[in-house]
Amino acid sequence: MYQPGDLIIYGGEGVCRVTAIGPAPIAAVDSERLYYTLTPLYRQGVIYAPTDIAVPMRPILSREEAHALIRSIPTMASDPAEFSDAKQAAQQYKALLQTYDYANLLRLIRMIYAKNEQAITQGKAYSHVEERFLKRARELLHGELAVALGVAPGEVESLIREHAGAERNEVCPPV
C-alpha cells in the first residue's frame, strides 16, 4: 500500500502524489471503502483511486533506474512499426501505451520515430495517429524521468541526449 507523500504512476495520468488514504469525500461512493487521494503533478485536479482493486499504479523510477534507462538507450534496438493500416497501428500503439511501463513507452517512442523516419525518406508525411501516440508517450515518459531526476519535464530530452551520447534525433524525437 502506498503512503501519503509517495510519488506514483497512475495509469494515463502519469506522475501523481498520494496526498491521503481514506474514504472519498464524494456522496455517491461507498463510505467504507478506502481510496488513495492523488494529485497529478502535471495537471490540475484530484483523483480518488480505490485501494482494493487492480488499478494501473506503480512507484516511479528511482534516480538510479532513470539513469540506467537513459544509459541503455543507445544500445536499444529500434524496431519500426509495420502495419497494414492505421487502425492496426493505433491498436498496437494503444496496447503499448496502456501498459504505462517506462520501457514500453520508450519502445513506442522509438518505434514511431523509426516509422516516421521511413515515411520521410519515402516522401510521405507523418501520420496523425503516430503524432498523437508519440506525443502522449513522450509526456508520460518525460514526466516520470523528470521527477526521478529532479528536473523539469522540458529538460528531459536534453538530459537524455547528453547522458545517452545521442548525436541524432533517434532517442527522443521532437513532437
Side-chain angles (χ1 to χ4, degrees):
M1 183 173 238
Y2 299 108
Q3 300 301 314
D6 288 350
L7 291 170
I8 64 168
I9 297 298
Y10 179 73
E13 287 298 324
V15 181
C16 294
R17 182 178 308 282
V18 177
T19 55
I21 302 170
I26 302 171
V29 299
D30 180 1
S31 62
E32 300 297 314
R33 193 173 198 184
L34 293 179
Y35 290 80
Y36 292 112
T37 303
L38 306 173
T39 304
L41 262 56
Y42 301 114
R43 72 168 194 84
Q44 299 295 314
V46 174
I47 300 164
Y48 299 102
T51 61
D52 61 348
I53 62 170
V55 177
M57 283 188 259
R58 64 174 175 79
I60 66 163
L61 287 167
S62 69
R63 183 176 190 84
E64 295 77 25
E65 291 168 325
H67 280 297
L69 177 66
I70 290 170
R71 283 191 306 271
S72 73
I73 290 172
T75 62
M76 289 180 176
S78 194
D79 49 328
E82 297 292 334
F83 303 108
S84 58
D85 61 31
K87 184 177 179 181
Q88 184 184 22
Q91 288 173 342
Q92 177 66 28
Y93 298 156
K94 184 177 180 181
L96 283 170
L97 187 68
Q98 288 182 338
T99 65
Y100 308 114
D101 174 74
Y102 58 87
N104 282 337
L105 293 173
L106 185 55
R107 180 174 168 228
L108 177 60
I109 291 167
R110 292 177 59 91
M111 178 187 296
I112 292 172
Y113 185 72
K115 184 174 182 194
N116 286 339
E117 280 285 292
Q118 185 179 33
I120 288 171
T121 60
Q122 295 172 353
K124 298 177 183 177
Y126 275 38
S127 159
H128 292 292
V129 170
E130 274 85 14
E131 284 183 36
R132 183 170 40 102
F133 281 100
L134 179 62
K135 181 179 179 186
R136 188 64 188 133
R138 284 176 49 119
E139 287 171 352
L140 291 170
L141 181 63
H142 286 202
E144 182 172 5
L145 288 173
V147 172
L149 298 172
V151 299
E155 297 175 47
V156 170
E157 185 172 338
S158 63
L159 279 175
I160 289 173
R161 289 183 194 287
E162 178 184 326
H163 293 288
E167 296 177 9
R168 294 189 51 207
N169 256 357
E170 292 179 289
V171 177
C172 280
V175 177

